[in-house]
Amino acid sequence: MTIDRRRLICPSLTRPMSTGDGCLARLAPLDRALEASTLHHLAVASDTWGNGVLEVTRRGNLQCRGFPCREDDTFRPVLGVLPGQAGSRFPISLDPIGLLMPQPAAVMRALYVGLHDRLRTSWLETHVAPKISLVISAGGGLGYDTLAADIQLHVTTGANACCIHVGIGRSLAPGDMRWQGMTSSPERAIDAVAALLWAIGDQGPLVRARGLPDEALPTLDLQPGHPAPTPTYAIGDTLAEPLARLWGVPCGRLDSTTVAALGDICARLDLTLWPIPERRLLIVGERARDADQALRSLGLIDDPRQPLPYIDLCAGRDCPRGGIDTHATARRLAALLTALPPTVSAHVSGCPKRCARDVPALITLSGDDRDDRLRFILNGQPGDPALWEGANHDDAWTMLTALVERVAQCPDESANVEHWQACWQALCDEAHA
Ligand code: SF4
């Protein structure tokens, strides 16, 4: 087994990544729903070999941290819990809504199996950037058609035929695709994906789809066309066919007790569960509504205005380097941010390392392993210069409360960094007047 120490490769169960709080192992995107027995297995596995917390990532994957970074078989028992985890190194995300309906499911499964076979046996396995991501979406409104991806296959089905649109990622922005065309043939769609990956690989071993110039796009055997926009579902929504409910996961973290309790609920009500993008769970089954009270009592969220699912946080005081209680800090921050739309990105970190999030957030609160100071960083990451820092945390919360109240006076501007900076400047001016 190889332990990876770089962020160039997606961590997996067979190739975990070393982080500040032990090794991180991420499950490959699931190709089947989690049933009660699997949830019970995962609860035991995360407790026994990891830190006891299963994380639901922004892309809808499951991961666990805190594994000892030894080059041995630590992860093998976890591999046995779920089939399909030791396959191709290319993660292919599958939109569960399509898999729950017979017609798109057959096409999506043909694409999924065919792509894995093609990728596993070709030059691509070793010559395309390790973090290349593929998505097979069904336009089901669960966030797969807007997931940042190098290649997206968008499957829709009508009365007699299916339609597979092939797109290549233009940027990291959600759903920003260059649509190449459509076909009704899964084989032709797989040929198109392979041709696009060859073209990307030809640009260099670390090049992603967004680095492929238009003039290097291959000619594909596709009809012109691009998919129509689809409505999106939010936390708290209920899907009618099949019956399913959407729940938010606080900070994307489920401790092993909660995972086991989810298994109990699924067993009792004959439900299944999918982790889906934006740290949500899709609870599927005829009795999905009967689980509401039990899921709320586990702390899951069905209020779409609640920002807690979107706050990134690390282990904090559970890690030797953590200078603050990240859980309590995140809950207090979430209570403040309910005044704003839930799209404001936030990160709570125990120290200047970036274990929980490696891209800037609009709001970052960070502790340090050398002192008790709390740092507030605007539009940056832990370790970046702080807008405010101090050992008196009450002062920090007074300041943050005033800032958020000021920003909330123009909620449409709440994702605009310049608006935050202007509000901060106004508060400073008033304090010095
Ligand atoms: S305190 Fe958090 S960011 Fe720092 S090393 Fe530990 S887990 Fe990583």
Side-chain angles (χ1 to χ4, degrees):
M1 177 167 311
T2 306
I3 307 288
D4 228 289
R5 297 179 198 282
R6 302 160 302 154
R7 293 202 174 210
L8 295 174
I9 290 181
C10 291
S12 65
L13 283 177
T14 50
R15 192 164 193 150
M17 184 175 76
S18 171
T19 70
D21 57 343
C23 257
L24 162 67
R26 184 174 302 149
L27 273 64
L30 302 181
D31 64 346
R32 66 203 73 197
L34 294 173
E35 298 177 347
S37 59
T38 317
L39 288 163
H40 288 136
H41 278 306
L42 284 173
V44 172
S46 69
D47 237 358
T48 309
W49 293 284
N51 63 1
V53 175
L54 208 57
E55 297 178 359
V56 182
T57 71
R58 284 184 179 275
R59 295 186 68 81
N61 296 320
L62 292 175
Q63 64 184 26
C64 189
R65 299 170 184 270
F67 290 85
C69 289
R70 298 193 308 258
E71 308 258 343
D72 62 10
D73 279 350
T74 306
F75 300 86
R76 198 151 300 284
V78 190
L79 268 172
V81 170
L82 285 168
Q85 289 294 314
S88 160
R89 73 168 173 81
F90 290 103
I92 302 179
S93 299
L94 278 166
D95 186 343
I97 205 75
L99 296 180
L100 291 166
M101 293 182 282
Q103 220 182 353
V107 177
M108 291 173 73
R109 293 233 174 260
L111 289 169
Y112 182 79
V113 172
L115 277 172
H116 271 305
D117 285 348
R118 183 74 68 90
L119 298 175
R120 198 179 289 130
T121 55
S122 76
W123 173 87
L124 298 168
E125 175 85 358
T126 50
H127 287 81
V128 172
K131 290 188 102 168
I132 287 277
S133 58
L134 287 82
V135 173
I136 303 176
S137 74
L142 297 182
Y144 287 86
D145 36 354
T146 53
L147 209 53
D150 290 278
I151 308 264
Q152 184 186 147
L153 296 177
H154 183 109
V155 178
T156 48
T157 47
N160 300 313
C162 80
C163 181
I164 307 163
H165 289 93
V166 181
I168 176 167
R170 191 198 320 267
S171 72
L172 287 175
D176 187 15
M177 308 299 293
R178 289 178 278 182
W179 291 104
Q180 302 299 297
M182 54 181 250
T183 175
S184 60
S185 158
E187 293 75 24
R188 208 166 288 162
I190 292 167
D191 288 344
V193 173
L196 288 168
L197 289 175
W198 273 88
I200 296 168
D202 275 345
Q203 301 291 312
L206 294 179
V207 173
R208 305 286 297 276
R210 55 187 178 274
L212 181 68
D214 283 345
E215 56 273 21
L217 283 167
T219 304
L220 304 174
D221 186 10
L222 300 172
Q223 305 291 316
H226 56 81
T230 47
T232 54
Y233 291 105
I235 285 172
D237 282 349
T238 302
L239 282 66
E241 193 59 48
L243 189 66
R245 296 262 294 140
L246 264 85
W247 291 83
V249 178
C251 302
R253 295 164 65 90
L254 297 165
D255 63 39
S256 57
T257 309
T258 304
V259 176
L262 282 170
D264 295 343
I265 294 168
C266 286
R268 182 163 50 84
L269 297 175
D270 196 20
L271 304 174
T272 57
L273 177 158
W274 288 87
I276 61 170
E278 297 305 325
R279 294 173 172 163
R280 296 173 297 173
L281 299 178
L282 183 70
I283 309 283
V284 185
E286 285 305 311
R287 299 184 65 192
R289 283 199 186 91
D290 296 344
D292 282 5
Q293 201 52 44
L295 295 176
R296 272 186 214 114
S297 71
L298 289 178
L300 296 186
I301 293 166
D302 61 346
D303 178 354
R305 295 161 305 166
Q306 169 58 257
L308 206 48
Y310 310 111
I311 297 179
D312 293 294
L313 90 173
C314 74
R317 288 243 162 85
D318 293 335
C319 165
R321 298 185 59 147
I324 58 171
D325 179 341
T326 47
H327 300 264
T329 306
R331 289 194 179 274
R332 197 163 174 182
L333 181 60
L336 264 187
L337 294 181
T338 46
L340 302 175
T343 44
V344 171
S345 56
H347 180 187
V348 180
S349 182
C351 83
K353 283 180 72 90
R354 298 156 184 182
C355 294
R357 180 183 174 108
D358 61 358
V359 293
L362 192 52
I363 297 175
T364 296
L365 294 177
S366 171
D368 201 309
D369 49 343
R370 296 162 304 179
D371 56 42
D372 287 337
R373 297 169 84 81
L374 184 66
R375 291 164 178 80
F376 167 51
I377 298 133
L378 185 62
N379 195 36
Q381 296 176 276
D384 286 349
L387 201 61
W388 184 95
E389 63 180 285
N392 187 332
H393 293 199
D394 288 340
D395 283 354
W397 288 110
T398 304
M399 173 274 300
L400 255 179
T401 305
L403 179 58
V404 170
E405 284 173 356
R406 180 71 63 115
V407 169
Q409 290 171 11
C410 296
D412 291 348
E413 294 292 318
S414 60
N416 180 348
V417 183
E418 285 161 12
H419 178 57
W420 282 78
Q421 286 166 333
C423 290
W424 174 256
Q425 192 56 52
L427 284 175
C428 292
D429 292 346
E430 285 168 17
H432 291 121

